[in-house]
Amino acid sequence: MSPQPELPAPAPSLTEVESHGVDRIPDAERTASPLDLFRLAFGGANTFSTCVLGAFPILFGLSFWQGLAATLLGVVAGALILCPMAVFGPVNGTNNAVSSSAHLGVHGRVVGSFLSLLTAVAFFSISVWSSGDALVGGAHRLFGLDRGNLSYVVAYALFAGLVLAVCVYGFRFMLFVNKIAVPSASLLFLIGAVAFAGDFDPSYAGVFTDSADAATQSLFWPSFIGAALIVLSNPVSFGAFLGDWSRYIPASTPRRRVIGAAFLSQIATLLPFVFGLATASIIATKVPEYVDPAAPDFVGGLLAISPGWYFLPVCLLALIGGMATGTTALYGTGLDFSSVFPRLTRVQATLLVGALSIAFIFVGRFALDLVQSISTFATMIITCTTPWMVVMMLGYWTRRGWYDPEALQVFNRRQRGGRYWFAHGWNWRGMTAWWVAAVIGVLFTNIPGQFVGPLGDLAGGVDISLPLSLAVAAVLFLALLRLFPEPRAVYGPDGPRLALTAEVPVPPISGPGALSVPSATLRA
């Protein structure tokens, strides 16, 4: 009698705390689908924080139509950059930082962990700040709640606590929240379109009109590109996190479906982006003090122009959408932090990262006034994250999508050796391509009125940091793979694509729980 195929394990209950860290998800437990990936990625951006980013074209002085063009450019370009990062989860059954061991080395994978930590703190903070401000502002208009610091402290604490609780329960509970959040937030945005339809005027002209002086006109392209890059930062920010959710998708799922789900999830974010853009143009017309670039307050402006009946939907949108963004940002970082510090379980690491993030939120809001500079912080993170993504994607392409799951887990198990050990755990080819491109990107950054790098003015004030860092990372990484070939053992049976190889021995995996395997057997 032929053996029966292994049946998928029954899905755990919503209230069962997830036990998996970044270890490979067993095939029997991979019950998620590309639609689930769409829900999580779209739900994480279908919120107030995305509306805030969508308002930046207006803050930069663009007209509505100019802002719409910048938004479309940023979303589409960002979606194209992001979507290939979804394939690592199904292939390796783990998160993207662990998968990066194959291209940056067993120890070099901490780069991805560090980038995901910074990204999570930044976007979790934006989520809590914007949602908390909306809740307090809406309660003030509805019930006369005092808008003093105490009200904000309570709102931030309660909201952050709810997000942290969902992250502790894990993937299944987070997926449940997003199944509710995605259609609910989308409906509330559509209701908002009705609420503001009477005040919306697509002919809003911005500052770059025919009558503007030459100095103002010269700032158009820097402002347009800067706005597009801030929009683009939203989809690219998911690069380190897609594997957190796609690792539950079966490995047999066609790659095009996984990539398509990631791409469409970002195209769908045009809903909150355009909502933010359109309402910001109304705010700029009716209450322009709220879009003063020196002290912008999109949430306050939105409440100022909202009809009374939309205050409650605003509060619901802040709560529902903010929960989706906060959980998608915090969950993956807690997951990855537990692999960097294996003494911590996933739950303990999530609680620790959550506590640090909440402390950052309060310090930034009440002591350092970081709210105005958070977009700069996020943009700088993306400038450093994108070259890392380029190395990952080109690595996947040159390896023909072939990986050794056991060798990827060496760092997490506190072992040594394996196919991805390279030079004492570091693959200097990928590391060099990443840090050189990231440094160049920072040097050429030019965000009008916020941050200008030492070389930021060389392109006439236009921010070329992202395309330049993308190009440098791609060219340098591929050149290093040709000039300094990697071991043949890191490639699959079909060999490399474009890259060269070197016949060198690979050290066997040694350490806790390792089997003694001669290095000769590790030659592909």
Side-chain angles (χ1 to χ4, degrees):
M1 180 180 296
S2 60
Q4 296 296 319
E6 183 181 7
L7 297 177
S13 67
L14 292 176
T15 55
E16 181 181 338
V17 176
E18 181 184 4
S19 59
H20 289 298
V22 292
D23 49 304
R24 186 178 185 275
I25 302 299
D27 293 341
E29 296 183 33
R30 298 204 199 179
T31 56
S33 68
L35 178 59
D36 293 326
L37 175 63
F38 173 90
R39 288 192 183 106
L40 287 166
F42 174 46
N46 195 32
T47 181
F48 253 9
S49 56
T50 305
C51 295
V52 172
L53 296 177
F56 269 89
I58 301 299
L59 295 179
F60 283 3
L62 300 179
S63 70
F64 171 78
W65 292 111
Q66 292 164 350
L68 182 61
T71 300
L72 289 171
L73 174 62
V75 168
V76 173
L80 290 172
I81 294 171
L82 171 72
C83 61
M85 295 297 293
V87 302
F88 292 97
V91 169
N92 296 322
T94 187
N95 72 347
N96 284 356
V98 172
S99 292
S100 73
S101 301
H103 307 296
L104 279 81
V106 167
H107 293 151
R109 56 137 295 183
V110 299
V111 170
S113 301
F114 179 69
L115 293 173
S116 66
L117 175 63
L118 294 181
T119 304
V121 171
F123 282 85
F124 179 57
S125 300
I126 294 174
S127 172
V128 173
W129 280 329
S130 58
S131 296
D133 288 353
L135 289 172
V136 172
H140 171 73
R141 297 288 296 270
L142 285 170
F143 311 114
L145 177 71
D146 178 58
R147 297 182 68 178
N149 284 345
L150 179 60
S151 297
Y152 287 103
V153 167
V154 172
Y156 295 155
L158 288 176
F159 187 78
L162 285 173
V163 171
L164 188 56
V166 173
C167 292
V168 165
Y169 277 106
F171 176 80
R172 300 294 171 188
F173 200 94
M174 187 172 66
L175 181 57
F176 171 74
V177 168
N178 276 271
K179 285 181 178 179
I180 298 173
V182 168
S184 299
S186 300
L187 177 61
L188 291 170
F189 278 126
L190 293 175
I191 293 174
V194 175
F196 299 112
D199 294 323
F200 174 61
D201 181 4
S203 65
Y204 172 74
V207 302
F208 302 107
T209 61
D210 293 338
S211 60
D213 57 40
T216 300
Q217 292 282 10
S218 67
L219 294 175
F220 171 74
W221 283 112
S223 299
F224 182 89
I225 298 299
L229 288 176
I230 288 179
V231 171
L232 183 145
S233 72
N234 196 66
V236 172
S237 70
F238 287 93
F241 302 122
L242 281 186
D244 302 337
W245 318 315
S246 63
R247 67 196 181 119
Y248 278 95
I249 297 176
S252 59
T253 305
R255 300 288 176 265
R256 65 180 184 278
R257 292 186 58 203
V258 178
I259 292 174
F263 178 79
L264 292 176
S265 71
Q266 300 310 305
I267 297 301
T269 63
L270 286 170
L271 176 62
F273 268 119
V274 174
F275 181 89
L277 176 70
T279 51
S281 69
I282 299 172
I283 295 169
T285 301
K286 299 186 68 174
V287 282
E289 63 272 17
Y290 286 99
V291 292
D292 181 358
D297 182 7
F298 171 78
V299 174
L302 183 66
L303 291 169
I305 65 171
S306 294
W309 63 266
Y310 193 61
F311 291 156
L312 181 58
V314 165
C315 293
L316 291 174
L317 184 59
L319 180 63
I320 295 172
M323 283 285 290
T325 296
T327 53
T328 51
L330 194 58
Y331 167 79
T333 304
L335 175 71
D336 197 58
F337 208 65
S338 65
S339 69
V340 177
F341 299 96
R343 291 181 180 272
L344 300 176
T345 65
R346 185 195 65 82
V347 172
Q348 291 171 333
T350 299
L351 290 171
L352 177 59
V353 173
L356 293 173
S357 300
I358 292 171
F360 175 82
I361 288 167
F362 283 109
V363 171
R365 176 62 172 82
F366 298 110
L368 301 180
D369 194 21
L370 293 179
V371 178
Q372 296 181 27
S373 60
I374 194 66
S375 63
T376 302
F377 185 48
T379 303
M380 298 302 291
I381 291 173
I382 300 309
T383 302
C384 296
T385 301
T386 307
W388 176 81
M389 294 168 60
V390 170
V391 170
M392 289 278 288
M393 290 184 284
L394 287 178
Y396 179 93
W397 183 73
T398 59
R399 304 272 178 90
R400 302 181 187 272
W402 186 91
Y403 294 91
D404 181 348
E406 289 300 308
L408 290 174
Q409 297 290 334
V410 164
F411 181 92
N412 312 326
R413 298 169 180 170
R414 288 302 181 260
Q415 298 169 336
R416 297 171 61 85
R419 298 178 192 269
Y420 308 130
W421 188 247
F422 298 107
H424 305 287
W426 302 90
N427 186 354
W428 60 268
R429 305 162 188 83
M431 290 291 296
T432 300
W434 166 71
W435 76 258
V436 169
V439 169
I440 289 176
V442 171
L443 291 176
F444 279 87
T445 297
N446 189 323
I447 307 174
Q450 297 185 53
F451 175 82
V452 179
L455 305 178
D457 289 323
L458 291 185
V462 176
D463 191 324
I464 61 171
S465 59
L466 190 63
L468 189 60
S469 63
L470 282 168
V472 169
V475 172
L476 184 55
F477 184 54
L478 291 176
L480 290 173
L481 291 182
R482 296 284 297 185
L483 295 173
F484 305 96
E486 293 178 319
R488 176 64 179 83
V490 303
Y491 296 94
D494 294 332
R497 180 186 282 121
L498 191 62
L500 301 178
T501 64
E503 293 294 340
V504 296
V506 176
I509 297 176
S510 61
L515 298 176
S516 179
V517 181
S519 61
T521 65
L522 293 179
R523 300 177 188 272

